Amino acid sequence: MSSSRSVTAPTVRSVVAAAAALLVAALLVVAGSPRSADAQPATADGDVTPLQVSGPPEESLNLIVLGDGYTADELDDYYADVDKHLNVLWSIEPFRSYRNYINVYRVDVASAESGISCDPDDGNVRRDTALTLEYAEQCPADPNARGITFGEGGSEALEAYVDEIPGVTPQNRQTLTLANTGTYGGIGGRNATTSGGNSLGPYITPHELGHSLGELQDEYPYYDRGVPGDPYTDEEPDSAHHTTLTSGQLRSQHKKWWRWLGEESLSGGRIGRYESGMYACCDIWRPSRHSMMRWLAYPFDQVSREVMTRQISGRRDLSQLAADATPAGDVAPNDVLWVETPHPTYHDLDVRWSVGGEDVGGTDGARNLDLSELDVEAGEEVTVDVSDPTEFVRDPALRESAAMSFSRTWTVGESAPPADDELAFSASTPTERQVGGEDVVFAETTHPGGVEPDVRWTLDGDPIDDADGSGSVDLGSLDLAAGTYELTATLLDGGAPVDERRWTVDNVAPTVEADLSRPFKRIGIPRRAPLRIYRNDLTMGLDPSDDQEGYVVAEFRLDGDGWHHYYGWPDAPEGTPFHFTPRGTTIKELVYGALSPGGMSWAPFEKRKPGYGHHRVEYRAVDAAGNIGEVTSFRFVVVPDEKHAAERPRR
């Protein structure tokens, strides 16, 4: 962004914006455009492809994705894995609503050998890979090994690749390395890892980012799988989502998640106190029965989501909202002051202007303020205050922190010569991908002195009158019919167009088909779908689809519990359906697919009742643009077979 009339030198934001444009252009020259699925395999060493750039790296949280154990001939598999992991991430809050705060760069790294070292499900041998990912320092690894770490020289090699991306620093970046393996695994930290090809790998990613970005802790009741943890004996933990206090104490002392108590949890049930967490079996409590930090494929609950929202907004360690404005100091009485803010996907930040402490009427949300229309006098102070009205945050201390709010004050002084910056778009919602039908699309401009940018928006060539002159347009307010549109932002100077940005608007909801195993009996019910009767188990395959490119996510919920992402089946070939049984199936000391009251996921030592009887499954899809499809459902009954007849529930 550029300066106002009160200074002659460009602002830091304008320099950064120009540098970012050069950076993106340079990266695209080096890496080419994002590769399609049928592109020829690359032999690149460290080529960088910007997958999503909505702002300068210095003003963003930067996610750098790398791969290890993918040979040059397997880079197409790597690209597909990256697309799947990212689209799953964008379907999970708060990443879905704050994706525009994050720049994403993909680094292409080809390894000499396929796979990674000491993989317990793939030979358990040492391999020659670029980033030396491994399940253990020495092979063979334990059959249940699940931590994917960097071996000798791996971290140094990663840093060398990342250092090639200008503007990315340890304080504003997060790396994620996908291991070319179908074995479950991953680890958190500033340089997180995950399984590229495991069915649960895309859900390891947000869990590990919960550790890495949010400093959230595991909510497991164990440290070693299958072995109950010891009771918790320490003092009240620093963890935002663990406590030793009772619900009454949380409320009366205004501690931890007291503001969320009683709310319906995003991951099922109600926010309250659920025993176990931080690897302890008992004497410590967490907010939800099952959430992202306890069982994969459930969403973050509200407590963890609030922490993650603050961390994404503050750009990790910087703890500063990426907002900028006319440089502080004296401004001329005829200046046009400006402020630029980050842009969540589904809402705008609140912007309030005041002169001498009094609100300036009619300017709510405006990113520019023309002082010549206000008859301001020398010595008066003009202030802009920016805040995020998101419902994701209830703690006033977080909402008012520098990570989520911004303020700047100027003093009206004498006139000054204008800056000579040219009028142009400087940042926007990424144009390389489709935007959803509910998105708030933005386009920022430079700020030559004394000029209020004039942005005109059209949809399929028709003017969007309510958005004239605005830096953003709320597509959700247009009540669009289902379909695909072209959105255009045109920047005018004296009525003549000087710059333009275009987006494809995907307002077609994704769909999903369910493939159920054959029941042993169907019962017809008038005006309702038949009721399926199963003996002891059933399988469910979900096949989501969309009319646009990009991985489509399917999710479902059982008996009104939390929405759970569909991933097929753990440690099974792609396409293997999800398997429901009364108590669930134990795989590597974790339980999946339980119909038991209390959820589908358990540690095997946790007591649970068999889930015989009536059940209902709802399912839906989320596409690459963030559109959520309609909910469809089916009902079924599970009864014991002869082997489990003794477990038949009593009436």
Side-chain angles (χ1 to χ4, degrees), residues 210-265:
H211 291 314
S212 306
L213 292 176
E215 298 182 348
L216 299 174
Q217 301 195 25
D218 285 322
E219 297 182 4
Y220 309 148
Y222 58 83
Y223 185 80
D224 294 320
R225 285 191 183 185
V227 181
D230 294 329
Y232 185 81
T233 58
D234 292 338
E235 298 178 352
E236 175 68 11
D238 292 334
S239 169
H241 56 122
H242 290 92
T243 189
T244 61
L245 302 177
T246 66
S247 295
Q249 289 171 325
L250 291 174
R251 284 195 178 93
S252 64
Q253 298 178 28
H254 290 184
K255 297 290 188 180
K256 302 290 175 84
W257 58 88
W258 69 275
R259 294 179 180 87
W260 295 105
L261 285 171
E263 294 285 326
E264 184 176 349
S265 173

Short mmCIF file of all heavy atoms in Angstrom, two decimals, residues 210-265:
data_model
loop_
_atom_site.label_atom_id
_atom_site.label_comp_id
_atom_site.label_asym_id
_atom_site.label_seq_id
_atom_site.Cartn_x
_atom_site.Cartn_y
_atom_site.Cartn_z
N GLY A 210 -2.76 -27.85 15.30
CA GLY A 210 -3.28 -27.44 16.60
C GLY A 210 -2.16 -27.36 17.62
O GLY A 210 -2.10 -26.43 18.44
N HIS A 211 -1.26 -28.35 17.59
CA HIS A 211 -0.08 -28.29 18.46
C HIS A 211 0.82 -27.12 18.06
O HIS A 211 1.25 -26.33 18.90
CB HIS A 211 0.74 -29.57 18.33
CG HIS A 211 0.10 -30.79 18.91
ND1 HIS A 211 -0.50 -30.81 20.15
CD2 HIS A 211 -0.02 -32.06 18.42
CE1 HIS A 211 -0.96 -32.03 20.40
NE2 HIS A 211 -0.69 -32.80 19.36
N SER A 212 1.11 -27.03 16.78
CA SER A 212 2.16 -26.15 16.29
C SER A 212 1.77 -24.68 16.38
O SER A 212 2.54 -23.85 16.85
CB SER A 212 2.50 -26.50 14.85
OG SER A 212 2.82 -27.87 14.71
N LEU A 213 0.57 -24.35 15.89
CA LEU A 213 0.13 -22.96 15.87
C LEU A 213 -0.55 -22.56 17.17
O LEU A 213 -0.32 -21.47 17.69
CB LEU A 213 -0.83 -22.73 14.70
CG LEU A 213 -0.24 -22.82 13.29
CD1 LEU A 213 -1.35 -22.66 12.27
CD2 LEU A 213 0.82 -21.75 13.09
N GLY A 214 -1.42 -23.43 17.66
CA GLY A 214 -2.23 -23.07 18.82
C GLY A 214 -1.64 -23.47 20.15
O GLY A 214 -2.20 -23.14 21.20
N GLU A 215 -0.54 -24.21 20.12
CA GLU A 215 0.05 -24.75 21.36
C GLU A 215 -0.99 -25.54 22.15
O GLU A 215 -0.97 -25.57 23.38
CB GLU A 215 0.66 -23.63 22.21
CG GLU A 215 1.80 -22.90 21.49
CD GLU A 215 2.43 -21.82 22.35
OE1 GLU A 215 1.86 -21.48 23.41
OE2 GLU A 215 3.51 -21.31 21.96
N LEU A 216 -1.91 -26.16 21.42
CA LEU A 216 -2.90 -27.02 22.05
C LEU A 216 -2.26 -28.36 22.40
O LEU A 216 -1.38 -28.84 21.69
CB LEU A 216 -4.09 -27.23 21.10
CG LEU A 216 -4.85 -25.98 20.68
CD1 LEU A 216 -5.91 -26.32 19.64
CD2 LEU A 216 -5.49 -25.29 21.88
N GLN A 217 -2.75 -28.96 23.46
CA GLN A 217 -2.17 -30.21 23.91
C GLN A 217 -3.10 -31.38 23.59
O GLN A 217 -4.30 -31.22 23.40
CB GLN A 217 -1.91 -30.15 25.43
CG GLN A 217 -0.97 -29.01 25.80
CD GLN A 217 -0.43 -29.14 27.20
OE1 GLN A 217 -0.35 -30.23 27.74
NE2 GLN A 217 -0.04 -28.03 27.78
N ASP A 218 -2.50 -32.57 23.52
CA ASP A 218 -3.30 -33.76 23.28
C ASP A 218 -4.30 -33.98 24.40
O ASP A 218 -4.01 -33.73 25.57
CB ASP A 218 -2.39 -34.99 23.17
CG ASP A 218 -1.64 -35.04 21.85
OD1 ASP A 218 -2.24 -34.69 20.82
OD2 ASP A 218 -0.45 -35.44 21.86
N GLU A 219 -5.47 -34.47 24.03
CA GLU A 219 -6.51 -34.79 25.01
C GLU A 219 -6.64 -36.30 25.21
O GLU A 219 -7.64 -36.78 25.74
CB GLU A 219 -7.84 -34.19 24.56
CG GLU A 219 -7.81 -32.66 24.47
CD GLU A 219 -9.14 -32.06 24.07
OE1 GLU A 219 -10.13 -32.81 23.91
OE2 GLU A 219 -9.22 -30.83 23.90
N TYR A 220 -5.61 -37.05 24.82
CA TYR A 220 -5.67 -38.50 24.94
C TYR A 220 -5.67 -38.93 26.41
O TYR A 220 -5.05 -38.28 27.26
CB TYR A 220 -4.45 -39.15 24.28
CG TYR A 220 -4.15 -38.73 22.88
CD1 TYR A 220 -2.84 -38.69 22.43
CD2 TYR A 220 -5.16 -38.39 21.98
CE1 TYR A 220 -2.53 -38.31 21.12
CE2 TYR A 220 -4.86 -38.01 20.68
CZ TYR A 220 -3.55 -37.97 20.26
OH TYR A 220 -3.25 -37.59 18.98
N PRO A 221 -6.29 -40.10 26.70
CA PRO A 221 -6.23 -40.66 28.06
C PRO A 221 -5.03 -41.59 28.24
O PRO A 221 -5.01 -42.41 29.15
CB PRO A 221 -7.54 -41.44 28.16
CG PRO A 221 -7.78 -41.92 26.76
CD PRO A 221 -7.25 -40.85 25.85
N TYR A 222 -4.06 -41.51 27.36
CA TYR A 222 -2.91 -42.42 27.40
C TYR A 222 -1.71 -41.70 26.78
O TYR A 222 -1.86 -40.70 26.06
CB TYR A 222 -3.18 -43.69 26.59
CG TYR A 222 -3.51 -43.39 25.15
CD1 TYR A 222 -2.50 -43.18 24.20
CD2 TYR A 222 -4.83 -43.26 24.71
CE1 TYR A 222 -2.80 -42.86 22.89
CE2 TYR A 222 -5.14 -42.95 23.41
CZ TYR A 222 -4.11 -42.74 22.49
OH TYR A 222 -4.41 -42.41 21.20
N TYR A 223 -0.53 -42.19 27.07
CA TYR A 223 0.66 -41.78 26.33
C TYR A 223 1.06 -42.89 25.36
O TYR A 223 1.27 -42.64 24.19
CB TYR A 223 1.83 -41.47 27.28
CG TYR A 223 3.02 -40.91 26.53
CD1 TYR A 223 3.06 -39.58 26.16
CD2 TYR A 223 4.09 -41.73 26.20
CE1 TYR A 223 4.14 -39.06 25.45
CE2 TYR A 223 5.19 -41.23 25.49
CZ TYR A 223 5.21 -39.90 25.13
OH TYR A 223 6.27 -39.40 24.42
N ASP A 224 1.11 -44.12 25.86
CA ASP A 224 1.31 -45.28 25.01
C ASP A 224 -0.05 -45.87 24.67
O ASP A 224 -0.86 -46.16 25.57
CB ASP A 224 2.17 -46.34 25.72
CG ASP A 224 3.59 -45.85 25.96
OD1 ASP A 224 4.15 -45.19 25.06
OD2 ASP A 224 4.13 -46.10 27.05
N ARG A 225 -0.31 -46.07 23.40
CA ARG A 225 -1.62 -46.58 22.99
C ARG A 225 -1.93 -47.89 23.69
O ARG A 225 -1.08 -48.76 23.82
CB ARG A 225 -1.63 -46.82 21.48
CG ARG A 225 -1.72 -45.57 20.65
CD ARG A 225 -2.00 -45.94 19.21
NE ARG A 225 -2.03 -44.78 18.33
CZ ARG A 225 -2.35 -44.83 17.05
NH1 ARG A 225 -2.66 -46.00 16.50
NH2 ARG A 225 -2.35 -43.75 16.31
N GLY A 226 -3.18 -48.00 24.11
CA GLY A 226 -3.64 -49.22 24.74
C GLY A 226 -3.33 -49.30 26.22
O GLY A 226 -3.76 -50.25 26.88
N VAL A 227 -2.58 -48.34 26.76
CA VAL A 227 -2.19 -48.36 28.17
C VAL A 227 -2.76 -47.12 28.85
O VAL A 227 -2.36 -45.99 28.51
CB VAL A 227 -0.66 -48.38 28.34
CG1 VAL A 227 -0.29 -48.42 29.82
CG2 VAL A 227 -0.06 -49.56 27.59
N PRO A 228 -3.69 -47.25 29.80
CA PRO A 228 -4.26 -46.06 30.46
C PRO A 228 -3.17 -45.23 31.12
O PRO A 228 -2.24 -45.76 31.73
CB PRO A 228 -5.21 -46.66 31.49
CG PRO A 228 -5.49 -48.04 31.02
CD PRO A 228 -4.26 -48.50 30.32
N GLY A 229 -3.29 -43.92 30.98
CA GLY A 229 -2.34 -43.04 31.64
C GLY A 229 -2.57 -43.00 33.14
O GLY A 229 -3.64 -43.37 33.64
N ASP A 230 -1.58 -42.52 33.88
CA ASP A 230 -1.72 -42.37 35.32
C ASP A 230 -2.65 -41.20 35.63
O ASP A 230 -2.85 -40.31 34.80
CB ASP A 230 -0.36 -42.11 35.96
CG ASP A 230 0.57 -43.30 35.85
OD1 ASP A 230 0.06 -44.45 35.84
OD2 ASP A 230 1.80 -43.10 35.77
N PRO A 231 -3.23 -41.17 36.84
CA PRO A 231 -4.04 -40.01 37.23
C PRO A 231 -3.20 -38.73 37.21
O PRO A 231 -1.99 -38.75 37.44
CB PRO A 231 -4.49 -40.36 38.65
CG PRO A 231 -4.41 -41.84 38.72
CD PRO A 231 -3.26 -42.23 37.87
N TYR A 232 -3.85 -37.61 36.92
CA TYR A 232 -3.17 -36.32 36.89
C TYR A 232 -2.96 -35.84 38.32
O TYR A 232 -3.89 -35.82 39.13
CB TYR A 232 -4.01 -35.30 36.11
CG TYR A 232 -3.33 -33.97 35.93
CD1 TYR A 232 -2.39 -33.78 34.93
CD2 TYR A 232 -3.62 -32.89 36.77
CE1 TYR A 232 -1.76 -32.56 34.75
CE2 TYR A 232 -3.01 -31.67 36.60
CZ TYR A 232 -2.07 -31.51 35.59
OH TYR A 232 -1.45 -30.29 35.43
N THR A 233 -1.74 -35.45 38.65
CA THR A 233 -1.41 -35.06 40.02
C THR A 233 -0.79 -33.68 40.12
O THR A 233 -0.53 -33.21 41.23
CB THR A 233 -0.44 -36.08 40.64
OG1 THR A 233 0.74 -36.17 39.84
CG2 THR A 233 -1.09 -37.45 40.76
N ASP A 234 -0.56 -33.00 39.01
CA ASP A 234 0.09 -31.69 39.05
C ASP A 234 -0.90 -30.58 39.36
O ASP A 234 -2.11 -30.82 39.51
CB ASP A 234 0.79 -31.41 37.72
CG ASP A 234 1.98 -32.32 37.49
OD1 ASP A 234 2.51 -32.85 38.49
OD2 ASP A 234 2.37 -32.52 36.32
N GLU A 235 -0.39 -29.35 39.42
CA GLU A 235 -1.23 -28.19 39.65
C GLU A 235 -2.08 -27.89 38.41
O GLU A 235 -1.93 -28.52 37.37
CB GLU A 235 -0.36 -26.98 40.00
CG GLU A 235 0.44 -27.15 41.29
CD GLU A 235 1.32 -25.96 41.58
OE1 GLU A 235 1.42 -25.07 40.68
OE2 GLU A 235 1.91 -25.90 42.67
N GLU A 236 -2.96 -26.89 38.54
CA GLU A 236 -3.80 -26.48 37.42
C GLU A 236 -2.91 -26.21 36.20
O GLU A 236 -1.98 -25.40 36.25
CB GLU A 236 -4.58 -25.22 37.78
CG GLU A 236 -5.41 -24.61 36.66
CD GLU A 236 -6.59 -25.49 36.26
OE1 GLU A 236 -6.90 -26.47 36.96
OE2 GLU A 236 -7.21 -25.19 35.22
N PRO A 237 -3.17 -26.89 35.08
CA PRO A 237 -2.29 -26.76 33.92
C PRO A 237 -2.45 -25.42 33.21
O PRO A 237 -3.51 -24.77 33.28
CB PRO A 237 -2.72 -27.91 33.02
CG PRO A 237 -4.15 -28.13 33.36
CD PRO A 237 -4.27 -27.84 34.84
N ASP A 238 -1.40 -25.01 32.48
CA ASP A 238 -1.47 -23.80 31.66
C ASP A 238 -2.36 -24.01 30.44
O ASP A 238 -2.81 -23.05 29.84
CB ASP A 238 -0.07 -23.39 31.21
CG ASP A 238 0.80 -22.91 32.36
OD1 ASP A 238 0.24 -22.43 33.37
OD2 ASP A 238 2.04 -23.00 32.26
N SER A 239 -2.57 -25.24 30.06
CA SER A 239 -3.37 -25.57 28.88
C SER A 239 -4.72 -24.86 28.92
O SER A 239 -5.44 -24.89 29.92
CB SER A 239 -3.59 -27.08 28.81
OG SER A 239 -4.54 -27.40 27.83
N ALA A 240 -5.08 -24.21 27.79
CA ALA A 240 -6.36 -23.50 27.72
C ALA A 240 -7.54 -24.45 27.71
O ALA A 240 -8.67 -24.03 27.98
CB ALA A 240 -6.39 -22.62 26.47
N HIS A 241 -7.32 -25.73 27.42
CA HIS A 241 -8.44 -26.67 27.27
C HIS A 241 -8.30 -27.88 28.18
O HIS A 241 -8.77 -28.97 27.85
CB HIS A 241 -8.60 -27.08 25.80
CG HIS A 241 -7.37 -27.68 25.19
ND1 HIS A 241 -7.34 -28.93 24.64
CD2 HIS A 241 -6.11 -27.20 25.04
CE1 HIS A 241 -6.13 -29.19 24.17
NE2 HIS A 241 -5.37 -28.15 24.41
N HIS A 242 -7.66 -27.70 29.32
CA HIS A 242 -7.63 -28.71 30.38
C HIS A 242 -7.75 -28.01 31.72
O HIS A 242 -7.27 -26.88 31.89
CB HIS A 242 -6.32 -29.52 30.36
CG HIS A 242 -6.19 -30.43 29.18
ND1 HIS A 242 -5.58 -30.06 28.01
CD2 HIS A 242 -6.62 -31.72 28.99
CE1 HIS A 242 -5.61 -31.05 27.14
NE2 HIS A 242 -6.24 -32.07 27.70
N THR A 243 -8.38 -28.68 32.68
CA THR A 243 -8.55 -28.06 33.99
C THR A 243 -8.70 -29.11 35.07
O THR A 243 -9.08 -30.26 34.80
CB THR A 243 -9.77 -27.13 34.00
OG1 THR A 243 -9.80 -26.37 35.21
CG2 THR A 243 -11.08 -27.92 33.91
N THR A 244 -8.41 -28.71 36.29
CA THR A 244 -8.70 -29.53 37.46
C THR A 244 -9.90 -28.95 38.23
O THR A 244 -10.30 -29.50 39.26
CB THR A 244 -7.48 -29.57 38.40
OG1 THR A 244 -7.16 -28.25 38.85
CG2 THR A 244 -6.27 -30.19 37.71
N LEU A 245 -10.47 -27.86 37.74
CA LEU A 245 -11.56 -27.17 38.43
C LEU A 245 -12.91 -27.80 38.08
O LEU A 245 -13.07 -28.42 37.03
CB LEU A 245 -11.58 -25.69 38.05
CG LEU A 245 -10.29 -24.90 38.32
CD1 LEU A 245 -10.44 -23.47 37.81
CD2 LEU A 245 -9.95 -24.91 39.82
N THR A 246 -13.87 -27.60 38.96
CA THR A 246 -15.23 -28.03 38.68
C THR A 246 -15.92 -27.00 37.78
O THR A 246 -15.43 -25.87 37.61
CB THR A 246 -16.04 -28.16 39.98
OG1 THR A 246 -16.19 -26.85 40.57
CG2 THR A 246 -15.33 -29.09 40.96
N SER A 247 -17.08 -27.36 37.25
CA SER A 247 -17.83 -26.41 36.42
C SER A 247 -18.20 -25.18 37.22
O SER A 247 -18.14 -24.05 36.72
CB SER A 247 -19.09 -27.08 35.85
OG SER A 247 -18.76 -28.11 34.96
N GLY A 248 -18.60 -25.40 38.48
CA GLY A 248 -18.94 -24.27 39.33
C GLY A 248 -17.76 -23.35 39.56
O GLY A 248 -17.90 -22.12 39.57
N GLN A 249 -16.59 -23.92 39.75
CA GLN A 249 -15.39 -23.11 39.93
C GLN A 249 -15.02 -22.37 38.66
O GLN A 249 -14.58 -21.21 38.70
CB GLN A 249 -14.24 -23.98 40.40
CG GLN A 249 -14.38 -24.49 41.83
CD GLN A 249 -13.33 -25.52 42.19
OE1 GLN A 249 -12.92 -26.33 41.35
NE2 GLN A 249 -12.91 -25.53 43.45
N LEU A 250 -15.18 -23.03 37.50
CA LEU A 250 -14.90 -22.36 36.24
C LEU A 250 -15.78 -21.12 36.10
O LEU A 250 -15.30 -20.04 35.71
CB LEU A 250 -15.15 -23.31 35.07
CG LEU A 250 -14.17 -24.47 34.89
CD1 LEU A 250 -14.65 -25.39 33.76
CD2 LEU A 250 -12.77 -23.98 34.59
N ARG A 251 -17.08 -21.26 36.44
CA ARG A 251 -17.99 -20.13 36.31
C ARG A 251 -17.70 -19.05 37.35
O ARG A 251 -17.58 -17.86 37.02
CB ARG A 251 -19.43 -20.60 36.48
CG ARG A 251 -20.01 -21.33 35.29
CD ARG A 251 -21.52 -21.43 35.40
NE ARG A 251 -22.10 -22.08 34.24
CZ ARG A 251 -22.35 -23.37 34.15
NH1 ARG A 251 -22.04 -24.18 35.16
NH2 ARG A 251 -22.88 -23.87 33.06
N SER A 252 -17.59 -19.44 38.59
CA SER A 252 -17.44 -18.44 39.66
C SER A 252 -16.10 -17.71 39.59
O SER A 252 -16.01 -16.53 39.94
CB SER A 252 -17.60 -19.10 41.03
OG SER A 252 -16.56 -20.05 41.26
N GLN A 253 -15.07 -18.40 39.13
CA GLN A 253 -13.74 -17.79 39.05
C GLN A 253 -13.43 -17.24 37.65
O GLN A 253 -12.35 -16.68 37.43
CB GLN A 253 -12.68 -18.82 39.44
CG GLN A 253 -12.80 -19.33 40.86
CD GLN A 253 -11.76 -20.39 41.19
OE1 GLN A 253 -10.67 -20.40 40.63
NE2 GLN A 253 -12.11 -21.28 42.12
N HIS A 254 -14.39 -17.40 36.73
CA HIS A 254 -14.19 -16.93 35.35
C HIS A 254 -12.88 -17.47 34.78
O HIS A 254 -12.06 -16.73 34.24
CB HIS A 254 -14.22 -15.40 35.30
CG HIS A 254 -15.56 -14.81 35.55
ND1 HIS A 254 -15.82 -13.45 35.48
CD2 HIS A 254 -16.75 -15.39 35.91
CE1 HIS A 254 -17.09 -13.23 35.76
NE2 HIS A 254 -17.67 -14.39 36.02
N LYS A 255 -12.75 -18.78 34.83
CA LYS A 255 -11.54 -19.45 34.37
C LYS A 255 -11.80 -20.23 33.08
O LYS A 255 -12.90 -20.71 32.82
CB LYS A 255 -11.04 -20.41 35.45
CG LYS A 255 -10.61 -19.77 36.76
CD LYS A 255 -9.32 -18.97 36.60
CE LYS A 255 -8.82 -18.50 37.96
NZ LYS A 255 -7.56 -17.72 37.84
N LYS A 256 -10.74 -20.37 32.32
CA LYS A 256 -10.68 -21.25 31.14
C LYS A 256 -11.91 -21.04 30.24
O LYS A 256 -12.16 -19.92 29.79
CB LYS A 256 -10.53 -22.72 31.57
CG LYS A 256 -9.28 -23.00 32.43
CD LYS A 256 -8.00 -22.89 31.64
CE LYS A 256 -6.76 -23.05 32.49
NZ LYS A 256 -6.36 -24.43 32.74
N TRP A 257 -12.69 -22.09 30.03
CA TRP A 257 -13.76 -22.03 29.03
C TRP A 257 -15.13 -21.74 29.65
O TRP A 257 -16.16 -22.17 29.14
CB TRP A 257 -13.81 -23.31 28.21
CG TRP A 257 -14.00 -24.60 28.97
CD1 TRP A 257 -15.19 -25.18 29.30
CD2 TRP A 257 -12.98 -25.48 29.47
NE1 TRP A 257 -14.98 -26.36 29.97
CE2 TRP A 257 -13.63 -26.57 30.08
CE3 TRP A 257 -11.59 -25.44 29.46
CZ2 TRP A 257 -12.93 -27.62 30.68
CZ3 TRP A 257 -10.90 -26.48 30.05
CH2 TRP A 257 -11.56 -27.55 30.65
N TRP A 258 -15.17 -20.97 30.75
CA TRP A 258 -16.43 -20.74 31.45
C TRP A 258 -17.47 -20.05 30.54
O TRP A 258 -18.69 -20.28 30.70
CB TRP A 258 -16.21 -19.90 32.70
CG TRP A 258 -15.80 -18.46 32.45
CD1 TRP A 258 -14.54 -18.00 32.22
CD2 TRP A 258 -16.67 -17.34 32.40
NE1 TRP A 258 -14.56 -16.63 32.03
CE2 TRP A 258 -15.87 -16.20 32.15
CE3 TRP A 258 -18.05 -17.16 32.56
CZ2 TRP A 258 -16.39 -14.92 32.03
CZ3 TRP A 258 -18.58 -15.88 32.45
CH2 TRP A 258 -17.75 -14.78 32.19
N ARG A 259 -17.02 -19.25 29.56
CA ARG A 259 -17.96 -18.55 28.68
C ARG A 259 -18.68 -19.52 27.73
O ARG A 259 -19.70 -19.16 27.15
CB ARG A 259 -17.23 -17.49 27.86
CG ARG A 259 -16.66 -16.35 28.70
CD ARG A 259 -15.94 -15.34 27.82
NE ARG A 259 -15.38 -14.25 28.60
CZ ARG A 259 -14.18 -14.27 29.17
NH1 ARG A 259 -13.42 -15.35 29.03
NH2 ARG A 259 -13.74 -13.24 29.86
N TRP A 260 -18.11 -20.71 27.50
CA TRP A 260 -18.67 -21.66 26.55
C TRP A 260 -19.48 -22.77 27.23
O TRP A 260 -20.11 -23.57 26.54
CB TRP A 260 -17.56 -22.31 25.74
CG TRP A 260 -16.81 -21.36 24.85
CD1 TRP A 260 -15.56 -20.87 25.05
CD2 TRP A 260 -17.27 -20.80 23.62
NE1 TRP A 260 -15.20 -20.03 24.03
CE2 TRP A 260 -16.23 -19.98 23.13
CE3 TRP A 260 -18.44 -20.92 22.88
CZ2 TRP A 260 -16.34 -19.26 21.94
CZ3 TRP A 260 -18.55 -20.21 21.69
CH2 TRP A 260 -17.51 -19.40 21.23
N LEU A 261 -19.47 -22.84 28.54
CA LEU A 261 -20.15 -23.93 29.24
C LEU A 261 -21.63 -24.02 28.82
O LEU A 261 -22.35 -23.02 28.79
CB LEU A 261 -20.06 -23.74 30.75
CG LEU A 261 -18.70 -24.03 31.40
CD1 LEU A 261 -18.70 -23.59 32.86
CD2 LEU A 261 -18.35 -25.51 31.28
N GLY A 262 -22.06 -25.22 28.51
CA GLY A 262 -23.45 -25.46 28.15
C GLY A 262 -23.75 -25.31 26.68
O GLY A 262 -24.82 -25.73 26.21
N GLU A 263 -22.83 -24.73 25.91
CA GLU A 263 -23.04 -24.58 24.47
C GLU A 263 -22.98 -25.95 23.79
O GLU A 263 -22.22 -26.83 24.20
CB GLU A 263 -21.97 -23.68 23.86
CG GLU A 263 -22.02 -22.25 24.32
CD GLU A 263 -23.17 -21.47 23.69
OE1 GLU A 263 -23.50 -21.75 22.52
OE2 GLU A 263 -23.73 -20.59 24.37
N GLU A 264 -23.76 -26.11 22.74
CA GLU A 264 -23.66 -27.34 21.95
C GLU A 264 -22.29 -27.39 21.30
O GLU A 264 -21.90 -26.48 20.57
CB GLU A 264 -24.75 -27.39 20.90
CG GLU A 264 -24.76 -28.69 20.11
CD GLU A 264 -25.91 -28.78 19.14
OE1 GLU A 264 -26.82 -27.94 19.23
OE2 GLU A 264 -25.89 -29.69 18.29
N SER A 265 -21.53 -28.42 21.56
CA SER A 265 -20.17 -28.51 21.05
C SER A 265 -20.16 -28.76 19.56
O SER A 265 -20.99 -29.50 19.03
CB SER A 265 -19.40 -29.64 21.75
OG SER A 265 -18.14 -29.83 21.15
#
